[in-house]
């Protein structure tokens, strides 16, 4: 009797938890849009034999440990500060549980996908398999279509929803490309030309005025309308610093949208605006079919490289040109990959053992247009870079609290402020924009509160103080418990950029991010030159001891969504963050 009971009680749960043949056809929805993503229209079904790379992100078994480690090594008050993880240590923490790996493999095998034909990331958390549309449709219980973007006339192959066998839900974080429509051309480029702002052809006059760098009195009044590296170096107090750790320190600039940084334009820029840098160069790394056409200089790419280099010279700068593919041609039977720009770039960079200590990226999407599962996976990849000692800057967006009518896409059409992603990821440092001297927040500066990511503790004191002062203003239009941004800011208007040999005036938080990243690269140079670890993930430092090294910007507002937006004030605010950098003061603080 006793034996029988033991047998029964032991066997029943065993049978229930280990079915011999998992069912691969009891689909449960993984992500579904309730409406067609705005700006897109159905063009027709995707050709059944169209082949593309499907990325399967497995649940990372110890991701909470990775994030805890990230916070410890980034917190200047913690014993582990600066003790960044190696690539191998990160790979261990992002590895999937072996059950997840086994189950996903049996699922792929059940679909006749050759286990030798797929690529596995270092941690084993990403599998990339080449599949046809019909195979992907069977695996994901979905239908892929060709969708056309009416504004840009681009075509992509995507799905409005996708499913997974129910047994896989606790093992798979995301599958892409599926429902993320934001693609290479439709990603909002956060920079715009300013034809109405006069340009200056040379700033030797300005340079000669900079006798006493770092003193606001010596920043020439022309810097209120036209920004050059001399203005920024004076304003942010970097003029007297000479980098020396140039054999190890590097600054990475991320480029997408087939935006190419031009070598000749950089030389012209240096001849006019940073003569000591003439003859120095940047290198280009092509990622996933990225190109480097020198006949098509890009406004964004030239802005990014000229100001990143203009601020950080002689630190080596690397331009990462991430492709994806040429636009999909609906009738072509031999198309290549589909575009998943961040995943392509992040999978590439995380596979390298030696990565730049500082990155700047000036691209983004409305957060609500990025599926939550995709955004979470990408944001966790920034955490991995941070844990490895990388500082990551993103521009905050150029639409204040949101562009247009700001209606939600959840089927309710509610008016809500529209945060940007990846600006809203808590593991990046988001840079807003200022203008004029003395500095004020500029109206387009993107800022707000995430609806996806909770407010990280490093910013809770700073953000609570702002919310208390705000009272009921804008109540209901934003998420008080969300990750708040920007973290910091820098000038964002009247930047003198050489494009195709001509000087143009450019504005946008696209200008602010490379500027701030240039200052961070100098700080990393100082750390490395003294035998210290690089700064890594900056936010825990910036919101604590680092705040004293920032110039608090206390005026300006960022209207949008038919409201006045938020207003800048003393302390952190969602227009200028904690403020703009004072290199000299930060250098003293990070000793
Ligand atoms: C998924 O999208 C298809 C159109 O491609 C639609 O017919 C179906 O109702 C959608 N399912 C869900 C759960 O949203
Ligand atoms: C910069 O590098 C590119 C690519 O190697 C080269 O074509 C160009 O001539 C270089 N410019 C200078 C000034 O060295
Ligand atoms: C507000 O943000 C939290 C994350 O902090 C999220 O869970 C919640 O869904 C958000 N609310 C809305 C209405 O988006
Ligand atoms: C600039 O840096 C120096 C140290 O290099 C510091 O003494 C000074 O306070 C900083 N700020 C200004 C505005 O001068």
């Amino acid at each position: 009797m006793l034996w029988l009971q033991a047998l029964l009680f032991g066997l029943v749960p065993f049978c229930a938890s280990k079915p011999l043949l998992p069912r691969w056809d009891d689909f449960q929805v993984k992500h579904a849009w309730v409406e067609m993503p705005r700006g897109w229209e159905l063009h027709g079904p995707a050709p059944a034999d169209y082949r593309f790379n499907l990325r399967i992100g497995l649940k990372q078994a110890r991701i909470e440990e990775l994030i805890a480690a990230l916070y410890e090594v980034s917190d200047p008050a913690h014993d582990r500060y600066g003790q960044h993880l190696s690539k191998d240590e990160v790979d261990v923490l992002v590895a999937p549980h072996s059950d997840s790996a086994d189950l996903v493999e049996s699922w792929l095998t059940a679909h006749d996908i050759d286990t030798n034909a797929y690529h596995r990331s270092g941690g084993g958390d990403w599998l990339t398999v080449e599949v046809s549309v019909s195979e992907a449709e069977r695996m994901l219980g979905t239908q892929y279509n060709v969708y056309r973007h009416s504004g840009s006339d681009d075509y992509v192959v995507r799905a409005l929803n996708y499913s997974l066998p129910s047994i896989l839900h606790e093992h798979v974080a995301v599958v892409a490309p599926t429902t993320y429509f934001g693609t290479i051309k439709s990603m909002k480029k956060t920079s715009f030309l300013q034809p109405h702002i006069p340009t200056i052809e040379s700033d030797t006059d300005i340079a000669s005025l900079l006798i006493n760098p770092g003193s606001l009195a010596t920043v020439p009044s022309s810097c209120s309308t036209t920004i050059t590296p001399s203005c920024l170096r004076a304003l942010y107090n970097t003029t007297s610093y000479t980098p020396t750790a140039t054999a190890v320190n590097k600054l990475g600039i991320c480029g997408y949208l087939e935006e190419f940084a031009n070598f000749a334009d950089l030389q012209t820029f240096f001849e006019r605006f940073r003569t000591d840098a003439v003859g120095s160069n940047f290198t280009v790394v092509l990622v996933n079919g990225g190109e480097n056409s020198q006949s098509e200089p890009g406004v964004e790419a030239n802005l990014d490289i000229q100001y990143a280099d203009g601020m950080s010279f002689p630190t080596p700068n690397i331009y990462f040109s991430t492709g994806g593919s040429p636009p999909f041609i609906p009738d072509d039977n031999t198309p290549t990959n589909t575009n998943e720009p961040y995943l392509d770039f992040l999978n590439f960079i995380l596979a390298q053992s030696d990565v730049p200590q500082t990155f700047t990226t000036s691209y983004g999407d409305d957060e609500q247009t990025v599926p939550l599962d995709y955004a979470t996976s990408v944001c966790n990849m920034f955490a991995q870079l941070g844990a490895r000692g990388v500082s990551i800057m993103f521009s905050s967006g150029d639409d204040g609290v949101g562009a247009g009518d700001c209606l939600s896409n959840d089927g309710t059409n509610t008016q809500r402020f529209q945060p940007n992603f990846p600006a809203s990821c808590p593991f990046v440092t988001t840079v807003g924009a200022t203008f004029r001297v003395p500095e004020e927040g500029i109206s387009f500066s993107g800022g707000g509160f995430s609806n996806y990511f909770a407010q990280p503790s490093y910013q809770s004191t700073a953000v609570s103080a702002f919310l208390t002062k705000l009272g009921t203003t804008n109540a209901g239009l934003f998420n008080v418990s969300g990750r708040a941004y920007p973290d910091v800011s820098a000038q964002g208007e009247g930047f003198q950029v050489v494009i195709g040999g001509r000087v143009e005036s450019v504005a946008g938080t696209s200008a602010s991010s490379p500027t701030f990243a240039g200052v961070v690269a100098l700080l990393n140079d100082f750390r490395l030159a003294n035998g210290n670890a690089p700064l890594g993930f900056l936010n825990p430092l910036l919101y604590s001891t680092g705040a004293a090294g920032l110039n608090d910007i206390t005026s300006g507002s960022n209207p949008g969504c038919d409201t006045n937006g938020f207003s800048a004030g003393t302390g952190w605010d969602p227009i200028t963050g904690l403020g703009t950098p004072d290199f000299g003061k930060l250098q003293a603080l990070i000793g």
Side-chain angles (χ1 to χ4, degrees):
M1 183 66 194
L2 216 60
W3 281 107
L4 185 59
Q5 249 177 14
L7 213 59
L8 277 176
F9 284 114
L11 268 183
V12 171
F14 177 76
C15 291
S17 68
K18 284 235 167 164
L20 288 177
L21 285 173
R23 288 194 50 197
W24 302 123
D25 60 351
D26 67 330
F27 287 114
Q28 216 177 299
V29 175
K30 181 74 173 75
H31 178 250
W33 291 121
V34 300
E35 58 182 53
M36 179 81 78
R38 291 184 195 143
W40 293 90
E41 62 194 30
L42 177 64
H43 178 79
D49 56 356
Y50 169 72
R51 296 190 74 76
F52 62 104
N53 281 336
L54 194 67
R55 288 193 199 277
I56 302 160
L58 278 65
K59 289 255 166 86
Q60 299 160 326
R62 297 165 70 189
I63 189 70
E64 295 309 322
E65 270 179 73
L66 175 97
I67 291 168
L70 167 72
Y71 281 129
E72 289 181 6
V73 300
S74 312
D75 175 359
H78 199 280
D79 291 345
R80 278 182 83 185
Y81 183 63
Q83 295 173 31
H84 301 124
L85 280 63
S86 67
K87 174 182 180 298
D88 290 345
E89 287 166 336
V90 167
D91 282 348
V92 167
L93 293 178
V94 298
H97 194 282
S98 61
D99 288 355
S100 306
D102 292 348
L103 210 51
V104 168
E105 275 193 26
S106 3
W107 175 55
L108 293 173
T109 307
H111 284 280
D112 289 329
I113 289 168
D114 179 3
T115 46
N116 295 315
Y118 51 71
H119 176 266
R120 199 188 293 269
S121 67
D125 52 333
W126 287 95
L127 296 180
T128 309
V129 296
E130 199 195 286
V131 293
S132 66
V133 160
S134 55
E135 283 169 334
E137 288 181 338
R138 278 196 301 274
M139 291 165 67
L140 303 173
T142 186
Q143 191 192 345
Y144 278 88
N145 288 304
V146 178
Y147 295 91
R148 176 177 172 273
H149 191 255
S150 32
S152 59
D153 201 32
D154 278 342
Y155 294 85
V156 296
V157 174
R158 289 292 187 277
L160 286 181
N161 53 59
Y162 75 106
S163 298
L164 286 172
S166 52
I167 193 174
L168 285 185
H169 275 250
E170 60 177 295
H171 302 282
V172 173
V174 68
V175 181
T178 49
T179 53
Y180 175 43
F181 278 60
T183 59
I184 199 155
K185 287 261 162 45
S186 72
M187 281 167 77
K188 184 168 43 180
K189 181 165 55 182
T190 52
S191 79
F192 45 91
L193 284 172
Q194 296 178 287
H196 59 286
I197 293 208
T199 55
I200 58 169
E201 286 291 305
S202 156
D203 76 345
T204 43
D205 301 343
I206 294 177
S208 66
L209 289 169
L210 301 174
I211 305 142
N212 177 17
S215 157
L216 271 191
T218 62
V219 179
S221 58
S222 69
C223 296
S224 260
T225 50
T226 45
I227 291 289
T228 66
S230 299
C231 291
L232 297 171
R233 294 172 69 216
L235 206 47
Y236 300 142
N237 204 5
T238 71
T239 311
S240 58
Y241 184 74
T242 306
T244 56
T246 52
V248 282
N249 194 33
K250 296 183 191 73
L251 172 53
I253 296 100
C254 297
Y256 299 101
L257 308 185
E258 271 140 40
E259 273 274 347
F260 307 118
N262 193 274
F263 295 119
D265 282 344
L266 182 68
Q267 292 309 313
T268 309
F269 179 80
F270 283 158
E271 279 156 20
R272 297 207 173 137
F273 303 121
R274 181 112 207 217
T275 47
D276 56 335
V278 170
S280 77
N281 213 345
F282 63 96
T283 51
V284 177
V285 173
L286 305 179
V287 180
N288 201 46
E291 292 168 45
N292 181 24
S293 162
Q294 288 298 300
S295 57
E296 304 163 69
V299 175
E300 179 67 63
N302 275 8
L303 165 67
D304 293 355
I305 198 74
Q306 289 171 19
Y307 280 85
D309 227 342
M311 292 304 289
S312 66
F313 170 80
T315 305
N317 279 214
I318 305 172
Y319 187 80
F320 290 87
S321 174
T322 299
S325 71
F328 178 74
I329 303 159
D331 299 321
D332 189 342
N333 272 326
T334 55
T336 56
N337 294 343
T338 45
N339 305 312
E340 290 283 4
Y342 300 128
L343 282 185
D344 287 346
F345 172 72
L346 286 165
N347 270 291
F348 168 84
I349 203 76
L350 284 168
Q352 317 294 312
S353 46
D354 184 21
V355 298
Q357 295 83 352
T358 311
F359 275 101
T360 176
T361 310
S362 292
Y363 300 82
D365 279 318
D366 281 350
E367 188 186 66
Q368 70 168 359
T369 69
V370 184
L372 176 61
D373 57 0
Y374 181 93
T376 305
S377 290
V378 166
C379 185
N380 284 344
M381 291 168 103
F382 292 123
Q384 292 170 52
L385 279 174
R388 287 174 59 180
V390 179
S391 306
I392 302 164
M393 263 53 66
F394 264 88
S395 52
S396 70
D398 291 355
D399 295 316
V401 292
D405 54 16
C406 298
L407 296 182
S408 66
N409 62 355
D410 57 0
T412 66
N413 278 331
T414 317
Q415 194 204 16
R416 297 271 290 176
F417 288 172
Q418 293 297 325
N420 262 18
F421 178 81
S424 66
C425 168
F427 308 129
V428 305
T429 298
T430 302
V431 189
T434 62
F435 72 142
R436 295 190 177 143
V437 182
E439 299 187 83
E440 301 167 31
I442 197 162
S443 62
F444 63 68
S445 184
F449 296 76
S450 174
N451 292 316
Y452 283 2
F453 301 104
Q455 197 175 95
S457 62
Y458 61 72
Q459 64 174 191
S460 57
T461 305
V463 176
S464 305
F466 171 80
L467 289 172
T468 303
K469 281 182 287 178
L470 184 68
T472 56
T473 308
N474 298 329
L477 292 172
F478 69 98
N479 193 332
V480 288
S481 70
R483 183 276 202 263
Y485 70 89
D487 301 299
V488 290
S489 50
Q491 289 277 321
E493 188 172 73
F495 277 55
Q496 308 295 289
V497 179
V498 176
I499 303 156
R502 289 187 44 204
V503 179
E504 307 268 8
S505 212
V506 180
T509 53
S510 273
S512 314
S513 184
T515 299
F516 194 89
V519 176
V520 172
L522 297 180
L523 292 168
N524 272 330
D525 178 276
F526 175 66
R527 292 271 304 174
L528 294 166
N530 287 324
N532 292 319
L535 292 170
F537 175 44
L538 294 168
N539 296 3
L541 167 74
L542 294 173
Y543 283 89
S544 59
T545 47
L550 299 166
N551 312 305
D552 190 10
I553 310 302
T554 56
S555 65
S557 64
N558 58 352
C561 308
D562 299 324
T563 74
N564 296 326
F566 295 112
S567 294
T570 304
W572 180 88
D573 58 67
I575 302 96
T576 63
L578 296 162
T580 63
D582 183 323
F583 175 80
K585 287 185 187 163
L586 285 166
Q587 192 186 7
L589 290 167
I590 63 168

